[in-house]
């Protein structure tokens, strides 16, 4: 039938409009989620990349024994990331930065003194990034050295002289 009669217009792929606000909300949710994962690493809460954001947030609340505001903040961050990944419309207008602060406070409350100190002074997430960066730089350097060696062998005077004598 005619959609005008019932007042309900059919949805078509061309009707989906991605607004600047939606893009910003998605980017904010992803940034907050990445920061939450780094915070979990800093406070020695295991991160499982195969889990959905909702499951990770629930596990964080249970493992770190987060209560009240920190638990609600972890749930909000999980919902925001889940909506940013999978929903047509991401969660907008949510306060993700204060939620991160609440989760950090909750993790600090439940962590021992050494873990709090390490998370503050030498965050494992930052050290991990540095190590990965150093490894990548080392790998690039070794690859370049290997290519230079291969090029030098190809143009070796010994090889050229040896092939002339035949």
């Amino acid at each position: 039938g005619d959609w005008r009669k019932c007042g309900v217009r059919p949805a078509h792929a061309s009707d989906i409009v991605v607004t600047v606000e939606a893009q910003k909300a998605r980017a904010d949710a992803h940034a907050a989620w990445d920061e939450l994962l780094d915070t979990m690493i800093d406070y020695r809460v295991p991160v499982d990349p195969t889990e959905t954001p909702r499951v990770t947030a629930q596990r964080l609340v249970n493992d770190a024994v987060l209560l009240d505001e920190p638990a609600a903040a972890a749930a909000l961050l999980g919902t925001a990331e889940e909506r940013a990944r999978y929903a047509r419309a991401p969660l907008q207008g949510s306060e993700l930065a204060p939620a991160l602060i609440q989760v950090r406070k909750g993790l600090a409350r439940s962590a021992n003194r050494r873990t709090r100190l390490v998370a503050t002074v030498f965050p494992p997430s930052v050290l991990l990034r540095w190590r990965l960066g150093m490894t990548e730089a080392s790998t690039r350097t070794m690859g370049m050295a290997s290519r230079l060696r291969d090029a030098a062998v190809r143009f070796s005077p010994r090889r050229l002289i040896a092939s002339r004598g035949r």
Side-chain angles (χ1 to χ4, degrees), residues 17-18 24 36 111 121 124 137 155 162-163:
V17 177
V18 179
K24 182 178 178 344
L36 177 67
V121 179
F155 298 110
S163 65

Side-chain angles (χ1 to χ4, degrees), residues 78-89:
T79 301
E81 177 62 14
E82 190 173 63
R83 295 270 308 265
R85 286 187 195 179
Y86 310 120
R88 210 177 262 189

Side-chain angles (χ1 to χ4, degrees), residues 4-62:
R4 288 180 207 100
K5 289 180 186 173
C6 63
V8 177
R9 197 171 138 210
H12 298 290
S14 61
D15 292 341
I16 299 172
V17 177
V18 179
T19 63
V20 173
E21 292 84 14
Q23 288 176 333
K24 182 178 178 344
R26 274 195 178 85
D28 290 348
H30 293 320
W33 185 252
D34 290 344
E35 186 63 31
L36 177 67
L37 295 180
D38 284 349
T39 301
M40 288 172 66
I41 291 168
D42 295 344
Y43 284 93
R44 301 185 184 278
V45 177
V47 173
D48 183 352
T50 63
E51 290 178 333
T52 64
R54 181 182 308 177
V55 171
T56 298
Q58 288 170 347
R59 188 175 51 76
L60 172 62
V61 169
N62 295 335

Side-chain angles (χ1 to χ4, degrees), residues 6-163:
C6 63
V8 177
R9 197 171 138 210
H12 298 290
S14 61
D15 292 341
I16 299 172
V17 177
V18 179
T19 63
V20 173
E21 292 84 14
Q23 288 176 333
K24 182 178 178 344
R26 274 195 178 85
D28 290 348
H30 293 320
W33 185 252
D34 290 344
E35 186 63 31
L36 177 67
L37 295 180
D38 284 349
T39 301
M40 288 172 66
I41 291 168
D42 295 344
Y43 284 93
R44 301 185 184 278
V45 177
V47 173
D48 183 352
T50 63
E51 290 178 333
T52 64
R54 181 182 308 177
V55 171
T56 298
Q58 288 170 347
R59 188 175 51 76
L60 172 62
V61 169
N62 295 335
D63 289 359
V65 192
L66 297 181
L67 306 169
D68 304 326
E69 290 94 12
L76 172 68
L77 292 167
T79 301
E81 177 62 14
E82 190 173 63
R83 295 270 308 265
R85 286 187 195 179
Y86 310 120
R88 210 177 262 189
L91 196 61
Q92 292 184 354
S94 61
E95 296 298 322
L96 300 179
L100 275 168
I101 292 168
Q102 285 295 323
V103 171
R104 268 196 208 110
K105 284 180 183 177
L107 286 170
R109 230 178 275 130
S110 66
N112 62 37
R113 179 183 294 184
R114 183 181 185 286
T115 301
R116 280 194 307 270
L117 181 66
V118 168
T120 305
V121 179
F122 296 111
S125 61
V126 173
L127 298 176
L128 177 65
R129 236 182 253 115
W130 287 350
R131 271 188 256 136
L132 289 174
M134 294 297 287
T135 302
E136 288 173 4
S138 174
T139 302
R140 281 193 305 269
T141 302
M142 294 302 289
M144 188 172 19
S146 176
R147 286 190 297 278
L148 286 172
R149 183 181 46 91
D150 290 346
V153 166
R154 242 183 277 135
F155 298 110
S156 166
R158 284 187 192 160
R159 195 177 129 242
L160 293 173
I161 292 170
S163 65

